[in-house]
Amino acid sequence: MLTLYHYVPVANGGKVLMALHEKGIAFDSRWIDLHTFQQHSPEYLAVNPEGQVPALMHDGVIITHTSVINEYLEDAFPDTPPLRPEEPLVAARMRQWNKYIDDYVMQAVSIHGWQNGAGKIARGYSDEAFEALMARIPLKQQQVKWRTARAGFPQEKLDECSQTIAEAVAKVEAQLAESGGPWLLGEMFTLADINFYAYCGGALATMFPRIGNRETCPLLLDWAARIEKRPGCARALATKAPA
Amino acid sequence: MLTLYHYVPVANGGKVLMALHEKGIAFDSRWIDLHTFQQHSPEYLAVNPEGQVPALMHDGVIITHTSVINEYLEDAFPDTPPLRPEEPLVAARMRQWNKYIDDYVMQAVSIHGWQNGAGKIARGYSDEAFEALMARIPLKQQQVKWRTARAGFPQEKLDECSQTIAEAVAKVEAQLAESGGPWLLGEMFTLADINFYAYCGGALATMFPRIGNRETCPLLLDWAARIEKRPGCARALATKAPA
């Protein structure tokens, strides 16, 4: 019995939803609304004491952190379509990409996301209501992030993140040229494709049109369109809040 | 044919050296002296364009980043003693620990290390010689780290890192109590033990005696002593610079 606690099918949530649907693994979907801070509710903290989504519950045991969850799905469901290469060297390349994406790209996109998304949410609360919400957040660094987003990140930090994103886009464009496509590592669609799409590639042209456009990264945009046509990914990306 | 480019057997270097010796995998050791900035020499940049150690060369192909290298050793040498649990859920727990150690603990210890180690090295060079060395560093964030270390990190940052280390020590102590030992995940010695020992557990009592002592973490100190008695780890930790 598998339950995924998640929010919208982009970034962290998209990453695990795409893997689950690509592998055709059945699961219960539990929507955790970040707009109303459900991730810090006592009910959800009983599921994941760190108060973060997504989290996967498998037979009553909780697994957290998207790259860990996605490798777990590979290990625990060996009879489903693989998203991790069998060949050790190609698996290592996939993990190098995942580390780069998790450590640099995700952070950089996330700060723009926090500035525009979480910042707006946070400014919608009075000082008192906001502080009450902060008091429920178990991870101190998450409190710092919410406070910074509410105040607004310095322009210098936002510029530095845009620069990181531009470098990542150039790197992926070069990799697609080198691998010959259709996917980052060549013939096989892997967790690295899912990872870059979820954090950056999918929203690139709308979130950062000056960085990601047909002049700067035609191969990347074609790659993103191919991902959206995959039945598993399309199903994941169509995930909606319960009515 | 396996070659490891590395420096002293602590932190990043220790992490891969311990895995190789524990698994009994034969390899050529190439010492890269960070004190004389050999990692940014043209010869080494031809091996690893990012100018970082350790790096593993296997049959002419380079693999970088310690957690990626150590998972690669598990995949590529399946007939050697395993350091990654077979059971998917235990492997996931190991990767959660590795992510926590790589993302938080390593960074926190590293900043104290940069302050005391790299800072001293950097201040040993004239401004002009230092700038010439900086110009050879391929990763911009590494240049920033060297410059900051030379100037000295702010006390507030150092205190924040000490706090992260104290939290990690408490977390590991609790985990050893919960698992019942002898290792982090119980009966099996894994990459998570190696990871925490290399970045924090091994040097804890000497680097941070107020955080790590017999009052605060007796189980952790016994665990570290057990690691040092393992023949593979002992061989790794005895690695010395060539005469």
Side-chain angles (χ1 to χ4, degrees), chain A residues 62 64 93 95-96 104 141, chain B residues 62 64 93 96 104 141:
Chain A
I62 198 81
T64 59
R93 290 283 174 262
R95 291 192 178 113
Q96 279 181 298
Y104 293 101
Q141 67 265 31
Chain B
I62 197 82
T64 58
R93 289 285 174 261
Q96 279 179 298
Y104 293 101
Q141 67 265 33

Side-chain angles (χ1 to χ4, degrees), chain A residues 50 61-65 68 71-72 75-76 84 88-89 91-93 95-96 99 102-104 141 171, chain B residues 50 61-65 68 71-72 75-76 84 88-89 91-93 95-96 99 102-104 141 171:
Chain A
E50 292 197 332
V61 180
I62 198 81
I63 300 144
T64 59
H65 294 95
V68 175
E71 290 244 22
Y72 174 75
D75 291 338
R84 182 177 62 195
L89 191 64
R93 290 283 174 262
R95 291 192 178 113
Q96 279 181 298
K99 185 163 173 57
D102 290 349
D103 289 0
Y104 293 101
Q141 67 265 31
K171 198 170 149 126
Chain B
E50 292 196 332
V61 180
I62 197 82
I63 300 145
T64 58
H65 294 93
V68 175
E71 290 244 22
Y72 175 74
D75 292 338
R84 183 176 61 195
L89 191 63
R93 289 285 174 261
R95 290 190 178 115
Q96 279 179 298
K99 184 161 174 58
D102 290 350
D103 288 2
Y104 293 101
Q141 67 265 33
K171 197 171 150 128

Side-chain angles (χ1 to χ4, degrees), chain A:
Chain A
M1 179 62 192
L2 219 58
T3 305
L4 184 71
Y5 298 82
H6 66 90
Y7 187 44
V8 290
V10 299
N12 301 309
K15 196 166 151 182
V16 179
L17 285 164
M18 286 165 82
L20 281 166
H21 281 288
E22 278 287 325
K23 296 181 80 63
I25 300 170
F27 65 99
D28 260 5
S29 158
R30 299 281 174 88
W31 190 267
I32 302 294
D33 190 351
L34 303 194
H35 266 73
T36 56
F37 289 83
Q38 278 185 2
Q39 75 275 29
H40 307 132
S41 68
E43 295 74 27
Y44 186 66
L45 291 180
V47 172
N48 179 8
E50 292 197 332
Q52 299 210 274
V53 287
L56 184 74
M57 180 82 87
H58 191 186
D59 294 336
V61 180
I62 198 81
I63 300 144
T64 59
H65 294 95
T66 53
S67 283
V68 175
I69 295 172
N70 282 357
E71 290 244 22
Y72 174 75
L73 296 176
E74 294 303 304
D75 291 338
F77 299 93
D79 299 331
T80 58
L83 297 169
R84 182 177 62 195
E86 192 77 36
E87 169 62 40
L89 191 64
V90 192
R93 290 283 174 262
M94 181 193 84
R95 291 192 178 113
Q96 279 181 298
W97 275 101
N98 282 344
K99 185 163 173 57
Y100 170 70
I101 295 163
D102 290 349
D103 289 0
Y104 293 101
V105 184
M106 185 275 273
Q107 297 292 346
V109 176
S110 158
I111 281 175
H112 279 283
W114 277 79
Q115 171 79 1
N116 298 316
K120 273 184 202 150
I121 297 174
R123 287 187 288 274
Y125 287 88
S126 70
D127 287 359
E128 203 182 352
F130 181 72
E131 286 308 319
L133 288 166
M134 287 305 100
R136 301 199 308 176
I137 301 183
L139 294 180
K140 201 187 143 210
Q141 67 265 31
Q142 288 299 108
Q143 292 187 14
V144 173
K145 241 179 165 178
W146 275 103
R147 287 181 205 285
T148 313
R150 191 167 193 251
F153 288 88
Q155 189 58 44
E156 190 186 22
K157 183 72 188 168
L158 294 170
D159 291 346
E160 187 191 309
C161 291
S162 299
Q163 180 59 30
T164 300
I165 296 164
E167 282 166 17
V169 165
K171 198 170 149 126
V172 166
E173 186 73 7
Q175 172 66 16
L176 287 168
E178 196 188 312
S179 79
W183 311 114
L184 268 178
L185 299 175
E187 288 300 319
M188 183 177 178
F189 181 75
T190 74
L191 295 176
D193 294 289
I194 286 178
N195 204 356
F196 189 73
Y197 181 90
Y199 285 133
C200 185
L204 182 65
T206 48
M207 258 183 97
F208 309 101
R210 280 190 300 182
I211 298 175
N213 56 58
R214 294 226 65 92
E215 301 295 312
T216 59
C217 57
L219 298 177
L220 192 162
L221 295 180
D222 289 345
W223 162 91
R226 277 194 296 277
I227 290 185
E228 288 151 14
K229 285 199 192 98
R230 291 179 67 95
C233 290
R235 266 193 299 278
L237 298 171
T239 306
K240 293 220 178 345

Side-chain angles (χ1 to χ4, degrees), chain B residues 59-106:
Chain B
D59 295 335
V61 180
I62 197 82
I63 300 145
T64 58
H65 294 93
T66 53
S67 283
V68 175
I69 294 172
N70 282 359
E71 290 244 22
Y72 175 74
L73 296 176
E74 293 302 304
D75 292 338
F77 299 93
D79 300 331
T80 58
L83 298 169
R84 183 176 61 195
E86 192 76 36
E87 169 62 38
L89 191 63
V90 192
R93 289 285 174 261
M94 181 192 85
R95 290 190 178 115
Q96 279 179 298
W97 275 100
N98 282 344
K99 184 161 174 58
Y100 170 69
I101 296 163
D102 290 350
D103 288 2
Y104 293 101
V105 185
M106 184 275 272

